[in-house]
Each structure stands twice: as C-alpha cells, then as structure tokens.
Amino acid sequence: GNQSSVVIQYNMLGGPQLKARRDRRATMSIAKKRFAQNNECLKTRRGRLLIVLLALIMFMASLWIINTYQILKTIHADRSNNDDLEMSLMSHMFAYFSVKSEDIVPTTALSVVILTYRKYDALANLLTSVIAQETSLNFEIIIADNGCLNETKQVISNSFSSISTTSIPNHKYLPLCDNPGYAKGNNAAVKLATSSSRMILFLNDDIVLDDSYFLQNMVQLRSMKHSAAAVGCKIANADKGQLIEAGSMVFNDGNGGGFGCCSRDIYAPLFFLRQASRLHIWGMLTC
C-alpha cells in the first residue's frame, strides 16, 4: 500500500515535467531530421555541381588532347618528308619543326591579290616568283593596276605568255586608272575573287617570294590556326641582311609598327611563329 501511493504521488507531481521533456526531445528529434535532410540536399547539390565541373574539365581536356594529337601528327609527317620550312612554336619552350605541306593541305581555292602602281619592273619579278610556286593549290592571281601604264600591261602579258598553258594560273586584270588608293584598290580586287575562294592573299608589288612553297605554307599555317582570322609573313630586305618586319604591332591609339624592324638577326627564334598580344594574328615565313 505505501509503495503504490508513493508511485502515484510521483507520477502526479512529475507528469507535466515529463511531458515537457518529451516535447523537447520530440522537437530536437524533428530539428535533427530536418538538419540531416538539409545536409543531404546540400551534399546532393554539391555532388551535382562537382559532376558538371568534372564533365566540363574532361570535355576541355579531350579537345586539348585531340588538338595536340593533330599537331604532333602533322609535325611527325613533316619531319618524315624532307624539311623545307623552318618554324618555331613558342609555348614555354621552342619546338622547331619543318613543313612541306603538299601532303597536309588539300587543294584549296586561293585568290592572290596584287596591287601595283607604276612599278612594272618590280611587278615582273613578283609575278615570276608567284607563277613559279610549287603547289597543289588551285589559285588565281588578281592584279589591280592603280597606274595603268602601258609598260605594266606589257609586263603582265609577257609574264603569263612565257609559261606553258598547262601550268598557267587563272589571272584577272583590273585597271583602276584614277588611282583610288591602297585600301580601295585592294577591296576592288577582292570583289573579283571567285566565289569558291576560301582565302585571300594580299601581296605588294615590290616584293619577291623567296620560297617556292610560300603559297602552300601560308595556307597550311592558316589551316592549322583555326582561331586566327589572318596570318602574315616575315619580310626581309633583298640580301636577307636586315629584317623589315616579322608581323605588325597595333597600338591602342590605332597606330602601328613593324615588329622586329631593322634587326640584323632575321632568323632569331623571336621572329618566328607567335601569337599577337591583341589581334591574335600569327606571323611566320620569310618573303
């Protein structure tokens, strides 16, 4: 009897406290469950983000590997075929290789635009070097004449009549006797390019192509650099004793200048293949 009364009295006195304690425990249990759910949700989001980042990294890495493989394959093919052109790639180190690109670059339509102004003797030398190019390219020559001298017309006629009809490239003559200027003359000549031409090569009339694979190599270089809008060549004086420029520099104010101008070491690694800091124009070769 005494024992049971003591138990009843305890339950009566401790009932509200026990209920409050149970409520607190239930609340804590619900909070822990919510925290666990939120934690799992956060882990899931992080995991998904990590998966997306890993997939992006793997995609970029695969593109880099494919591009590197193609470049190495090209280099290996070039080294196995007698070297004709020396270039250097600057990517933390210089990697020298040679290019004979007839087996690399497929037949590609190319329009060679030559603007001339009363320099018929120089034009004769240039046309001779262009027509003598050893290439599998199907190219055409467009001559824009800002001077319209009879001597210029005679030089053009003699240059193309002196070669066999089987090897003569297609050529077009555009007389611009009012001398519209350098830019307008070139633009007018470009309009005469065939619709199939994928590339335009601009040549001044006072240069000579020193390398018989010049056209082939220029097209091959442009084909290698998919992100480049244009490529340029290294220009040296007649005896190759001084560099005129190895690409152009364009400044913030719009002015420009020749990179490496007047250097005596025209074969320095600095004056070979490189990417411009602003315009992303690639330059190489020796005219």
Side-chain angles (χ1 to χ4, degrees):
N2 295 334
Q3 185 177 1
S4 60
S5 63
V6 171
V7 172
I8 292 173
Q9 183 180 12
Y10 173 79
N11 290 336
M12 291 178 62
L13 294 174
Q17 296 177 356
L18 291 175
K19 185 176 182 302
R21 184 178 297 176
R22 292 192 189 100
D23 292 341
R24 286 195 301 270
R25 289 178 178 176
T27 302
M28 293 177 62
S29 177
I30 293 174
K32 288 182 179 179
K33 289 181 180 179
R34 289 180 178 175
F35 178 78
Q37 291 176 354
N38 292 336
N39 193 27
E40 289 296 328
C41 183
L42 183 60
K43 288 182 179 179
T44 302
R45 291 178 180 176
R46 289 178 178 175
R48 291 175 180 174
L49 180 60
L50 182 60
I51 291 174
V52 172
L53 289 176
L54 289 176
L56 181 60
I57 292 173
M58 292 178 64
F59 175 73
M60 297 299 294
S62 63
L63 291 180
W64 181 84
I65 291 173
I66 292 173
N67 186 49
T68 303
Y69 171 76
Q70 292 176 346
I71 293 175
L72 293 177
K73 184 178 179 181
T74 300
I75 294 173
H76 178 73
D78 295 337
R79 283 177 172 172
S80 63
N81 298 325
N82 296 325
D83 299 342
D84 285 309
L85 175 66
E86 191 175 69
M87 294 190 296
S88 63
L89 288 175
M90 295 194 303
S91 176
H92 304 291
M93 64 173 61
F94 293 105
Y96 295 99
F97 60 96
S98 297
V99 174
K100 184 175 182 179
S101 52
E102 288 180 305
D103 299 329
I104 302 172
V105 182
T107 301
T108 305
L110 171 69
S111 295
V112 179
V113 173
I114 302 174
L115 181 70
T116 184
Y117 180 70
R118 300 184 177 182
K119 294 181 180 179
Y120 48 88
D121 289 334
L123 178 63
N125 295 329
L126 171 60
L127 288 176
T128 299
S129 66
V130 174
I131 295 173
Q133 287 290 295
E134 299 182 27
T135 177
S136 60
L137 297 172
N138 179 22
F139 71 96
E140 64 178 356
I141 301 174
I142 304 173
I143 303 172
D145 186 3
N146 278 3
C148 296
L149 296 178
N150 292 329
E151 292 86 348
T152 301
K153 298 176 183 179
Q154 189 62 45
V155 163
I156 296 173
S157 177
N158 293 340
S159 297
F160 290 101
S161 62
S162 61
I163 57 178
S164 61
T165 56
T166 57
S167 59
I168 182 173
N170 182 33
H171 63 283
K172 303 173 183 178
Y173 175 71
L174 176 62
L176 300 171
C177 302
D178 58 344
N179 187 17
Y182 184 83
K184 287 186 177 181
N186 277 307
N187 289 335
V190 169
K191 293 179 181 179
L192 293 182
T194 59
S195 58
S196 62
S197 289
R198 292 176 47 227
M199 302 181 190
I200 305 291
L201 174 64
F202 295 98
L203 296 177
N204 290 349
D205 60 356
D206 56 352
I207 66 171
V208 174
L209 306 185
D210 183 63
D211 190 339
S212 60
Y213 290 97
F214 179 86
L215 296 184
Q216 191 83 26
N217 289 324
M218 288 292 286
V219 173
Q220 192 270 343
L221 174 63
R222 172 60 185 85
S223 300
M224 286 176 57
K225 304 302 176 184
H226 303 288
S227 61
V231 294
C233 69
K234 182 166 61 177
I235 305 175
N237 60 6
D239 61 359
K240 298 184 180 180
Q242 189 174 16
L243 184 68
I244 297 176
E245 69 173 49
S248 297
M249 300 179 294
V250 179
F251 303 102
N252 292 331
D253 60 0
N255 290 321
F259 180 78
C261 178
C262 305
S263 173
R264 295 289 182 180
D265 185 7
I266 67 172
Y267 297 107
L270 181 62
F271 302 138
F272 281 86
L273 186 63
R274 71 185 188 284
Q275 186 172 358
S277 59
R278 291 186 57 81
L279 297 183
H280 302 288
I281 296 177
W282 294 77
M284 52 145 303
L285 305 176
T286 303
C287 297

